[in-house]
Amino acid sequence: MSLLTDLINLNLSETTDKIIAEYIWVGGSGMDMRSKARTLPGPVSDPSKLPKWNYDGSSTGQAPGEDSEVILYPQAIFKDPFRKGNNILVMCDAYTPAGEPIPTNKRHAAAKVFSHADVVAEVPWYGIEQEYTLLQKDVNWPVGWPIGGFPGPQGPYYCGVGADKSFGRDIVDSHYKACLYAGINISGINGEVMPGQWEFQVGPSVGISAGDEIWVARYILERVTEIAGVVVSFDPKPIPGDWNGAGAHCNYSTKSMREEGGYEIIKKAIDKLGLRHKEHIAAYGEGNERRLTGHHETADINTFLWGVANRGASIRVGRDTEKEGKGYFEDRRPASNMDPYIVTSMIAETTILWKP
């Protein structure tokens, strides 16, 4: 008699050329992820060769019931770490039947920015540090925390080791390996300052691929935590009080910044970001005012300041960048629930295209 695990782990390639493609998209809240699967006649590696597909937008908050059809356009393919074999994950964006991007499709506008000749010439690199919190399923309280109580104060948990300091490492490591298997350019993980909070980093990724990779990495994390019976939260301040919030720091450079004399280009780019501080803050994630307080390694939400090696700044420049006179900078303002398509394209637009 077969067990469920035997059937889940069946190797389809032994009996058929057919594959399963899991189509993924962002739902109506702008943070909820949706997916559904379809059978394809054989392996596919080019998104343009994949069929478009429709779904019921009235059930995701993306269309009215009387005109509910929304169309998925495949945009990026990743290997499926859950089904393995030739099966794939497909990151999609969403359009009306007439071909117009729906309001929650933030990829479409980002792709326009990244296809602009001036942006293409600068080859923008992104490294995104995605923080998140693992919660106990039925009580919405961080893993490792006593129910209705609190652990010891922050200090021993950042990059900590041991059963009294590190909570959820099996989930984190499973996610890490699943992302590597999928082909996501995940570059590392670490335990964060608040117990039960973790971070993974994606990049360097070029242009629109940074957004695709973060969204699929988030999807994989949701699936891993689903298996583990744990809830993942991207709330920027999941626990009020003297506990660190959760951000999605965005490390950024252009070709000009990475070449000789790049430090001057970096400083000009930071000046431009300062001039558009309010616009960026408005687009950097909901609830960010609870996180950007001027405490817990943040700058106050109403203040723009930058500094070298300053983790209390809006923009941090590394010591190596200052020393070498070229490199990258880190925008520390984005919240953990930011949309990576919005944040990455907005940084490129402000620093490359915008003329003050």
Side-chain angles (χ1 to χ4, degrees):
M1 177 65 74
S2 292
L3 300 173
L4 277 176
T5 51
D6 298 329
L7 297 173
I8 288 171
N9 293 320
L10 279 176
N11 183 358
L12 298 180
S13 62
E14 292 177 356
T15 58
T16 181
D17 291 332
K18 293 178 179 179
I19 68 160
I20 300 170
E22 189 80 29
Y23 279 42
I24 303 165
W25 71 98
V26 181
S29 75
M31 268 306 292
D32 60 313
M33 304 207 69
R34 310 286 179 130
S35 74
K36 61 176 183 171
R38 67 183 298 165
T39 306
L40 299 176
V44 182
S45 57
D46 181 352
S48 67
K49 300 289 194 293
L50 289 167
K52 295 172 185 174
W53 201 10
N54 66 71
Y55 70 92
D56 171 16
S58 69
S59 296
T60 62
Q62 294 173 297
E66 65 274 11
D67 186 16
S68 65
E69 191 167 287
V70 180
I71 313 300
L72 293 172
Y73 287 31
Q75 299 291 358
I77 292 174
F78 299 86
K79 289 173 66 67
D80 187 337
F82 303 102
R83 295 188 177 105
K84 300 190 270 300
N86 291 321
N87 304 299
I88 55 176
L89 304 176
V90 184
M91 189 64 206
C92 305
D93 58 355
Y95 296 79
T96 68
E100 295 296 318
I102 66 172
T104 52
N105 178 354
K106 305 305 181 186
R107 190 187 192 280
H108 180 79
K112 282 187 175 179
V113 172
F114 286 120
S115 62
H116 191 288
D118 293 350
V119 177
V120 171
E122 282 290 352
V123 196
W125 288 4
Y126 297 90
I128 298 174
E129 305 170 31
Q130 176 68 70
E131 294 180 339
Y132 60 93
T133 308
L134 297 175
L135 303 176
Q136 300 170 60
K137 184 179 175 185
D138 296 321
V139 292
N140 252 24
W141 202 238
V143 295
W145 290 38
I147 302 297
F150 296 87
Q154 297 183 152
Y157 309 109
Y158 173 70
C159 298
V161 179
D164 58 342
K165 305 178 198 72
S166 177
F167 311 115
R169 190 185 297 275
D170 54 343
I171 293 169
V172 174
D173 211 40
S174 297
H175 172 252
Y176 192 0
K177 290 181 178 178
C179 285
L180 285 170
Y181 179 94
I184 292 167
N185 193 23
I186 187 169
S187 45
I189 54 141
N190 60 267
E192 268 304 329
V193 177
M194 189 182 87
Q197 191 179 86
W198 292 81
E199 173 185 298
F200 65 87
Q201 303 94 32
V202 168
S205 302
V206 179
I208 197 73
S209 65
D212 290 337
E213 292 189 13
I214 281 289
W215 274 120
V216 176
R218 284 174 173 176
Y219 173 82
I220 292 172
L221 182 58
E222 292 275 13
R223 288 281 303 273
V224 170
T225 52
E226 174 188 317
I227 293 166
V230 168
V231 174
V232 58
S233 170
F234 295 103
D235 189 288
K237 186 74 173 179
I239 306 295
D242 196 16
W243 304 97
N244 273 38
H249 302 160
C250 187
N251 299 275
Y252 171 73
S253 69
T254 62
K255 186 171 180 286
S256 300
M257 295 175 192
R258 297 187 292 268
E259 294 175 345
E260 294 303 319
Y263 194 39
E264 290 306 310
I265 306 294
I266 287 172
K267 287 193 285 188
K268 288 177 183 176
I270 293 172
D271 287 342
K272 291 171 82 173
L273 288 168
L275 292 173
R276 297 190 75 195
H277 177 62
K278 286 185 178 179
E279 292 93 327
H280 279 256
I281 286 294
Y284 274 15
E286 289 188 26
N288 212 8
E289 72 282 352
R290 293 182 282 118
R291 167 181 162 261
L292 297 180
T293 61
H295 304 289
H296 304 109
E297 301 181 65
T298 70
D300 180 84
I301 194 166
N302 297 311
T303 304
F304 182 87
L305 60 100
W306 73 276
V308 176
N310 182 359
R311 294 182 185 275
S314 312
I315 306 287
R316 180 185 68 87
V317 174
R319 291 269 181 224
D320 286 348
T321 295
E322 181 188 44
K323 181 180 177 182
E324 294 175 16
K326 59 183 178 181
Y328 70 98
F329 64 83
E330 175 192 41
D331 190 339
R332 297 177 60 81
R333 296 171 296 173
S336 51
N337 59 359
M338 62 84 172
D339 187 315
Y341 294 135
I342 294 175
V343 169
T344 55
S345 61
M346 195 172 192
I347 291 173
E349 185 179 29
T350 295
T351 59
I352 300 171
L353 303 178
W354 185 61
K355 309 297 184 201

